[in-house]
Amino acid sequence: VSQVNPRRVLVFNCSHERNPLELLKLVKAGHFTAVYFAKPDSTRPSPVKKATAEELLEEEGIPLQEEIVQNVLKGKQVEDTTWQETLGILWKHLMWEEEKMRLASPRHATHYAIPMVCNKTSGEILAELSSTISNPTEVLVTGSLYIV
């Protein structure tokens, strides 16, 4: 009897008022097979400016990798980046930093192989996961709880 490894899915969001790197660092060791950066069903005005991925990475001393930014944005202009895409850029940088420590050639790291989706609501993600679940699946929903 063969044992099937479960899919491990992360569904994440936090408001731009928080430093998402603090939260993402806590879950990065989860060995996820797919990552979703969910948008809330509704938003509220905020006096706090949305930080860019570059600004947040600079605060952490992580160099911005233009290749990662372009991989996440898929041709979009940087100034049109959504908050969920910013979260995706941060996530890919954290994965790149981790793999850089393990691999001699981080440019050929596996972080690009892990599916990542930005800009869907939690309801859209649930529908997608429900329609594609064929193997055992573990889902971690975290960040700002009001998205759930």
Side-chain angles (χ1 to χ4, degrees), residues 31-124:
H31 304 287
F32 297 102
T33 57
V35 179
Y36 290 83
F37 291 102
K39 66 180 181 179
D41 292 327
S42 62
T43 59
R44 58 179 168 67
S46 172
V48 178
K49 175 190 165 290
K50 288 181 186 172
T52 65
E54 185 173 11
E55 291 166 341
L56 291 164
L57 290 167
E58 187 177 311
E59 285 177 22
E60 292 291 318
I62 300 172
L64 182 74
Q65 301 295 321
E66 204 52 51
E67 179 182 337
I68 292 174
V69 173
Q70 293 310 313
N71 178 267
V72 172
L73 296 183
K74 298 175 182 17
K76 274 180 71 175
Q77 297 297 313
V78 173
E79 56 271 7
D80 296 330
T81 304
T82 66
W83 179 245
Q84 290 69 39
E85 290 163 340
T86 297
L87 295 173
I89 291 167
L90 297 174
W91 176 259
K92 292 283 188 177
H93 275 82
L94 288 177
M95 296 297 97
W96 183 81
E97 285 287 309
E98 192 168 289
E99 289 180 6
K100 186 170 68 169
M101 289 186 243
R102 289 196 320 252
L103 302 173
S105 180
R107 290 255 181 242
H108 302 292
T110 59
H111 65 271
Y112 291 117
I114 298 170
M116 186 182 75
V117 177
C118 301
N119 301 320
K120 290 189 176 188
T121 65
S122 55
E124 292 169 330

Side-chain angles (χ1 to χ4, degrees), residues 7-11 32-36 129 137-141:
R7 288 189 329 167
R8 296 186 58 129
V9 178
L10 171 64
V11 178
F32 297 102
T33 57
V35 179
Y36 290 83
L129 290 175
T137 302
E138 298 172 353
V139 180
L140 172 61
V141 179

